[in-house]
């Protein structure tokens, strides 16, 4: 325990300095903590509906009721076109996708603030927490997607307007794009909110408002020309469009929307990783 | 010589004081602007030493130029007063936050135990939480699975292990939390004051466990205010003060240094420098300039016999005339706890003391019946309301020795009299 100036030629397993490379995802560390990732997912999944009577049924209740309300308000009262598709299926498809995106963003965007107690006491790769939120929501999305499939099969056999096509195969890619995009967005927001909480106010209702700028409740074809641009700006638009096109046969294939979504998600993810890496080191001092 | 497993080089950590939020944006912009111009961070320079009693400066160095090395299998205790930087050091070591400057290098897995039961989820059962907490601390699933019986056994909450932890008592939570942590097997374990919780039986168990862990060649860094635990567990210790390392060495010597301060510096009677550590409410009016102890035979001493009255010759420098002040001589035990004192306005004595401008000399005689042992002293000049003109802590060590007198189980002090040797009259009661 003395001060030595000997040549430092030893192998160190861990080096902590004041700076580190910002673009590293540190996949090795994530792999080492994979059990923690699984346990976090399990915790969130199990704990959410503990001490409820209906339990996991809530996964279904939420989209079903939203669909019913949308059908009544937008479909029947406001008489917004659903492109000839069964109203319930049209809304449910949009809601299922949008829910995944919005849940991921809201959940990941309070990573630092909500977990400051743990983060202040123990080190593990911080990215595990937003990652676990993405995966938890993916499971939830899976359950809700099964609900959609149920409706889909029913309408497929009872009506003849549903004409799926091959772009249905792009579905897994849509999920990956949504996950990357919401993770990136969430990482940016949570990093910025450690010091300035203003953004957290925006996220809650911002995501909700953003839904109206996406083809969840209307087919993009029915939108007046002057608004089309703004809807196209929403990276989720392309995904919802193409999803509806592939599964229902509604509208046209939106190549621009898809490319835009891919580009946007990659850019946001890189930016998010950068900011997140910068902040995770010492956010505990400013949170 | 065994290998170095932990090396801390020139590590410093700066914190911003006050409310983060107001003004941070402007500081951030300023910082960013300076970086753009290729200049140094303007706020890195102005940090003051971490002394929480003095004000001034928006930034503070919680740690400054920390250097040390830890060898494999060593148990190092880190001690120091609150605010000395111990916890900050642990936070850096455990990677909870990054250093502002410097490098920390480690070999092997580092696990930190800054709190027990981190990440417990109230809705999950004890067993589920063992897995969760273990994973948070860096264990993987097979590792936990292989130890789960041991962990449950160690925690002593086997009966409740399948009950959600929200139904646990706080003691049970702590036990379960520590049980998980105790079965961590990192190469370097960092432990904060976690032993302060739980009952004494459990604390003993924890210490035993830590000794056990260390016996297996693991390195432990242990922060505590519990000197007994430090003495018990650690071979070496580091003493910190104001964010800096004061001294490192054998635990006994360091603990002594912490408890008594630097012997030759503060702990001798005689002249007191004007810039010595003082506590003053009324600033810069009166100063103790010299204090000496005489025994009954009028000899200058630092050891008193049991029951032997002590005579303090006190000199006070004052820039003004002060009427009706109170002079206090007090005794502190080894742990710097004030145990008893004697005041010039004591009901036995009730002496009116005035201080004139310039030099003043007093003889303050007290009758002491302190138990044999070592005491450090403090002296104060107070105004009528009890606010100090001047107060000197940890000043002078007095030994009370029992030369054959029978050991009595009580102790007290009371003044016999205070005499102003400047003035013409002398009173002794």
């Amino acid at each position: 325990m003395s001060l030595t100036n000997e040549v430092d030629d030893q192998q160190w397993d861990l080096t902590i300095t004041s700076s580190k490379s910002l673009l590293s995802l540190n996949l090795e560390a994530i792999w080492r903590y994979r059990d923690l990732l699984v346990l976090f997912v399990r915790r969130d999944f199990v704990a959410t509906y503990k001490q409820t009577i209906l339990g996991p049924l809530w996964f279904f209740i939420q989209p079903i009721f939203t669909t019913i309300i949308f059908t009544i308000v937008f479909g029947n009262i406001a008489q917004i076109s659903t492109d000839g598709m069964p109203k319930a299926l049209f809304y449910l498809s949009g809601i299922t996708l949008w829910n995944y995106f919005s849940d991921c963003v809201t959940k990941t965007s309070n990573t630092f603030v909500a977990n400051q107690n743990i983060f202040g006491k123990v080190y593990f790769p911080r990215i595990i927490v937003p990652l676990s939120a993405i995966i938890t929501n993916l499971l939830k999305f899976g359950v809700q997607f099964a609900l959609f499939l149920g409706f889909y099969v029913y309408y497929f056999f009872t009506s003849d307007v549903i004409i799926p096509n091959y772009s249905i195969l792009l579905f897994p890619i849509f999920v990956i794009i949504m996950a990357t995009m919401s993770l990136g967005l969430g990482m940016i927001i949570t990093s910025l909110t450690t010091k300035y909480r203003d953004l957290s106010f925006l996220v809650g209702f911002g995501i909700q408002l953003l839904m109206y700028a996406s083809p969840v409740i209307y087919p993009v074809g029915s939108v007046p020309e002057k608004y089309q641009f703004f809807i196209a700006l929403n990276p989720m638009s392309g995904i919802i469009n193409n999803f509806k096109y592939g599964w229902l046969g509604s509208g046209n294939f939106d190549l621009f929307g898809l490319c835009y979504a891919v580009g946007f998600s990659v850019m946001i993810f890189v930016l998010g990783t950068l900011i997140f890496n910068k902040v995770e080191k010492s956010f505990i001092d400013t949170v | 010589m065994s290998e170095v497993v932990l090396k801390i080089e020139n590590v410093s950590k700066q914190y911003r004081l006050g409310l983060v939020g107001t003004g941070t944006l402007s500081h951030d912009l300023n910082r960013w602007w300076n970086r753009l111009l290729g200049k140094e961070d303007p706020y890195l320079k102005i940090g003051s030493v971490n002394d929480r009693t003095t004000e001034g400066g928006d930034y503070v160095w919680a740690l400054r130029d920390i250097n040390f090395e830890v060898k494999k299998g060593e148990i190092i205790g880190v001690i120091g007063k609150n605010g000395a930087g111990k916890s900050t050091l642990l936070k850096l070591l455990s990677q909870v936050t990054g250093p502002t400057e410097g490098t920390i290098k480690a070999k092997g897995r580092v696990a930190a135990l800054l709190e027990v039961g981190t990440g417990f989820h109230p809705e999950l059962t004890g067993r589920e939480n063992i897995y969760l907490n273990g994973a948070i601390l860096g264990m993987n699933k097979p590792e936990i699975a292989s130890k789960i019986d041991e962990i449950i056994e160690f925690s002593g909450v086997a009966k409740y292990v399948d009950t959600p932890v929200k139904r646990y008592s706080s003691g049970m939570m702590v036990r379960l939390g520590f049980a998980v942590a105790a079965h961590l097997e990192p190469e370097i374990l960092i432990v904060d004051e976690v032993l302060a919780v739980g009952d004494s039986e459990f604390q003993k168990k924890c210490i035993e466990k830590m000794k056990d862990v260390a016996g297996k060649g693991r390195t432990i860094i242990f922060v505590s205010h519990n000197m007994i635990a430090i003495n018990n567990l650690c071979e070496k210790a580091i003493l910190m003060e104001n964010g800096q390392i004061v001294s490192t060495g054998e635990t006994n010597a360091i603990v002594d240094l912490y408890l008594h301060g630097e012997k030759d510096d503060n702990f001798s009677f005689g002249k007191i420098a004007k810039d010595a550590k003082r506590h003053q409410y009324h600033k810069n009016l009166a100063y103790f300039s010299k204090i000496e102890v005489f025994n009954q035979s009028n000899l200058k001493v630092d050891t008193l016999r049991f029951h032997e009255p002590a005579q303090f010759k006190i000199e006070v420098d004052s820039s003004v005339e002060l009427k009706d002040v109170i002079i206090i001589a007090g005794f502190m035990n080894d742990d710097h706890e004030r145990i008893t004192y004697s005041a010039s306005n004591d009901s036995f004595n009730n002496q009116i003391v005035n201080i004139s401008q310039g030099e003043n000399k007093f003889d303050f005689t007290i009758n002491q019946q302190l138990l044999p042992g070592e005491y450090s002293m403090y002296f104060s000049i107070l105004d009528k309301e009890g606010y100090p003109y001047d107060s000197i802590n940890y000043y002078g060590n007095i030994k009370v020795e029992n030369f054959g007198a029978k050991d009595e189980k009580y102790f007290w002090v009371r003044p016999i009299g205070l005499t102003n040797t400047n003035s013409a009259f002398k009173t002794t009661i």
Side-chain angles (χ1 to χ4, degrees):
Chain A
M1 224 178 56
S2 55
L3 292 177
T4 51
N5 290 319
E6 67 197 49
V7 187
D8 188 18
D9 54 0
Q10 307 180 66
Q11 277 289 288
W12 299 100
D13 298 322
L14 171 74
T15 308
I16 308 169
T17 54
S18 50
S19 57
K20 83 173 192 192
S21 84
L22 292 178
L23 247 181
S24 79
L25 254 183
N26 209 351
L27 290 172
E28 188 203 338
I30 296 175
W31 179 246
R32 203 167 59 231
Y33 279 90
R34 62 191 180 278
D35 288 331
L36 181 61
L37 183 61
V38 173
L39 281 164
F40 270 151
V41 170
R42 212 186 105 78
R43 175 196 68 181
D44 291 341
F45 214 69
V46 171
T48 314
Y49 294 110
K50 277 233 172 155
Q51 239 181 37
T52 60
I53 297 170
L54 297 177
L57 275 183
W58 283 107
F59 285 132
F60 297 114
I61 292 169
Q62 190 207 353
I64 288 176
F65 272 72
T66 318
T67 304
I68 291 172
I69 297 295
F70 278 16
T71 310
I72 294 170
V73 175
F74 299 115
N76 295 341
I77 300 177
Q79 307 244 326
I80 296 171
S81 145
T82 55
D83 225 6
M85 294 298 139
K87 290 193 178 77
L89 198 57
F90 184 86
Y91 293 129
L92 187 59
S93 61
I95 289 166
T96 310
L97 292 182
W98 187 264
N99 268 355
Y100 179 57
F101 173 73
S102 90
D103 285 352
C104 283
V105 173
T106 31
K107 198 75 203 285
T108 50
S109 66
N110 68 358
T111 300
F112 283 130
V113 175
N115 291 285
Q116 49 177 304
N117 275 336
I118 301 185
F119 286 177
K121 298 294 179 194
V122 183
Y123 173 79
F124 51 85
R126 304 313 192 204
I127 188 91
I128 295 280
V129 172
L131 216 51
S132 78
I134 299 288
I135 294 174
T136 309
N137 281 313
L138 190 63
L139 294 177
K140 189 173 148 198
F141 175 70
V143 174
Q144 294 184 344
F145 189 72
L147 178 73
F148 168 78
L149 277 184
F151 274 71
Y152 186 78
V153 170
Y154 171 76
Y155 281 108
F156 187 77
F157 288 111
T158 54
S159 74
D160 47 6
V161 288
I162 296 166
I163 310 148
N165 56 52
Y166 279 118
S167 63
I168 208 169
L169 298 173
L170 285 172
F171 174 63
I173 295 176
F174 295 162
V175 177
I176 294 171
I177 296 172
M178 285 193 292
T180 329
M181 190 159 62
S182 49
L183 180 60
L185 217 54
M187 286 197 295
I188 293 174
I189 296 167
T190 190
S191 304
L192 296 181
T193 45
T194 56
K195 240 179 182 175
Y196 311 107
R197 295 287 154 84
D198 310 53
L199 215 53
S200 60
F201 293 104
L202 191 69
V203 175
F205 74 90
I207 289 283
Q208 213 172 1
L209 292 185
L210 206 59
M211 187 188 79
Y212 293 97
S214 78
V216 170
I217 36 184
Y218 47 77
V220 84
S222 72
V223 176
E225 198 72 35
K226 57 177 176 178
Y227 295 131
Q228 295 247 351
F229 173 70
F230 294 103
I231 291 163
L233 269 186
N234 185 341
M236 278 299 285
S237 296
I239 290 174
I240 296 172
N241 273 339
N242 287 324
F243 181 84
K244 284 182 175 169
Y245 172 71
W247 287 80
L248 308 176
S250 144
N252 302 306
F253 188 71
D254 183 1
L255 183 64
F256 166 78
L258 182 62
C259 296
Y260 176 64
V262 171
F264 186 84
S265 64
V266 169
M267 195 194 73
I268 279 291
F269 182 71
V270 170
L271 191 67
T273 314
L274 249 149
I275 301 180
F276 193 85
N277 278 346
K278 181 162 170 51
V279 168
E280 73 160 5
K281 277 200 71 122
S282 56
F283 91 97
I284 207 76
D285 305 337
T286 52
V287 74
Chain B
M1 199 172 95
S2 54
E3 62 170 337
V4 174
V5 289
L6 185 67
K7 196 169 183 177
I8 286 111
E9 296 173 314
N10 307 317
V11 166
S12 299
K13 176 73 182 175
Q14 191 189 47
Y15 279 114
R16 186 174 197 279
L17 295 180
L19 288 171
V20 177
T22 51
T24 29
L25 191 58
S26 68
H27 279 215
D28 281 352
L29 290 176
N30 196 355
R31 214 176 241 146
W32 175 79
W33 178 242
N34 272 280
R35 202 161 54 211
L36 211 65
L37 296 177
K39 286 191 202 160
E40 216 182 305
D41 186 339
Y43 299 108
L44 272 187
K45 287 178 252 172
I46 56 179
S48 55
V49 171
N50 181 17
D51 183 352
R52 60 179 58 178
T53 50
T54 54
E55 278 184 43
D58 265 356
Y59 289 86
V60 77
W61 289 104
L63 288 177
R64 197 74 170 116
D65 286 328
I66 301 291
N67 283 287
F68 67 91
E69 291 182 353
V70 182
K71 294 201 187 87
K72 196 176 174 199
E74 278 186 327
I75 312 182
I76 307 278
V78 180
I79 55 179
K81 282 184 258 181
N82 285 331
K86 307 183 298 286
S87 295
T88 308
L89 180 64
L90 290 201
K91 276 188 176 168
L92 294 187
L93 289 177
S94 57
Q95 297 185 73
V96 162
T97 179
T100 313
E101 289 170 357
T103 315
I104 298 168
K105 292 170 182 166
K107 265 182 210 169
R109 205 160 64 160
V110 182
L113 196 52
L114 305 191
E115 180 192 71
V116 292
T118 310
F120 269 13
H121 194 290
E123 294 288 350
L124 300 181
T125 67
R127 192 185 300 274
E128 287 167 324
N129 269 310
I130 291 176
Y131 277 99
L132 184 62
N133 187 236
I136 287 177
L137 291 171
M139 290 195 260
N140 58 30
K141 220 168 168 182
E143 217 177 318
I144 305 169
S146 71
K147 285 180 194 155
I148 187 136
D149 293 332
E150 238 180 293
I151 292 173
I152 294 171
E153 153 94 45
F154 186 87
S155 69
V157 296
K159 205 170 158 189
Y160 305 92
V161 81
D162 291 313
T163 308
V165 296
K166 64 178 172 182
R167 311 254 177 260
Y168 281 30
S169 73
S170 54
M172 281 157 68
M173 289 258 234
V174 167
R175 280 159 166 270
L176 192 65
F178 191 87
V180 178
H183 291 80
L184 266 178
E185 288 189 346
E187 278 71 36
I188 302 170
L189 180 65
I190 293 157
V191 187
D192 201 358
E193 193 91 64
V194 285
L195 297 177
V197 289
D199 54 26
S200 60
E201 179 207 358
F202 189 70
Q203 282 189 26
K204 225 171 110 189
K205 216 163 145 186
C206 297
I207 298 249
E208 285 306 310
K209 184 74 195 174
M210 278 168 68
K211 270 188 172 167
D212 201 40
V213 169
K216 288 176 188 161
R218 302 185 195 286
T219 311
I220 299 183
I221 297 178
F222 180 49
V223 165
S224 182
H225 286 287
N226 183 346
M227 292 304 138
I228 299 167
I230 291 265
N231 251 328
N232 231 323
L233 204 61
C234 310
E235 304 128 26
K236 285 184 175 176
I238 296 174
L239 175 61
M240 295 188 66
E241 201 181 307
N242 295 338
Q244 282 159 326
I245 291 182
V246 177
S247 186
T248 60
E250 298 298 319
T251 306
N252 266 329
I254 298 295
V255 168
D256 264 3
L257 184 64
Y258 170 59
L259 290 179
H260 303 294
E262 305 259 4
K263 281 245 157 48
D264 45 7
D265 217 38
N266 302 327
F267 280 77
S268 59
F269 286 101
K271 281 213 162 119
I272 309 165
K274 202 163 179 177
D275 59 358
K277 228 180 195 176
R278 294 165 190 271
H279 177 63
Q280 296 188 331
Y281 179 80
H282 306 287
K283 301 250 184 239
N284 307 329
L285 295 178
Y287 292 91
F288 284 114
S289 56
K290 191 177 177 185
I291 300 173
E292 281 173 332
V293 204
F294 290 79
N295 68 4
Q296 253 178 328
S297 344
N298 231 4
L299 289 170
K300 213 164 95 178
V301 289
D302 57 8
T303 304
L304 294 168
R305 283 160 184 270
F306 194 55
H307 286 201
E308 183 179 38
Q311 189 186 21
F312 297 96
K313 288 195 187 293
I314 299 171
E315 293 185 22
V316 177
D317 259 2
S318 179
S319 51
V320 286
E321 197 180 322
L322 301 170
K323 286 219 182 297
D324 211 355
V325 301
I326 304 160
I327 293 187
I328 282 182
F331 294 85
M332 290 178 287
N333 66 8
D334 262 3
D335 296 327
H336 289 179
E337 288 165 325
R338 298 181 169 199
I339 47 172
T340 181
Y341 69 94
S342 172
S344 58
N345 68 339
D346 186 291
S347 55
F348 292 107
N349 193 22
N350 210 7
Q351 187 111 18
I352 292 168
V353 182
N354 297 322
I355 289 176
S356 49
Q357 200 182 340
E359 248 179 53
N360 295 262
K361 286 182 181 172
F362 301 97
D363 279 357
F364 192 15
T365 312
I366 63 174
N367 204 350
Q368 58 84 16
Q369 299 209 349
L370 294 161
L371 285 176
E374 261 190 63
Y375 302 88
S376 54
M377 296 205 62
Y378 63 95
F379 294 89
S380 307
I381 310 170
L382 310 176
D383 67 12
K384 260 189 302 192
E385 268 78 48
Y387 293 105
Y389 289 105
D390 193 19
S391 187
I392 296 249
N393 278 343
Y394 314 129
Y395 178 74
N397 241 10
I398 258 198
K399 223 184 267 170
V400 174
E401 263 175 30
N402 183 1
F403 298 109
K406 70 171 186 235
D407 224 351
E408 287 180 55
K409 288 286 177 245
Y410 62 94
F411 58 85
W412 49 270
V413 290
R414 83 176 171 80
I416 296 173
L418 182 131
T419 318
N420 189 332
T421 43
N422 273 355
S423 51
F425 72 95
K426 291 192 175 197
T427 47
T428 314
I429 299 164

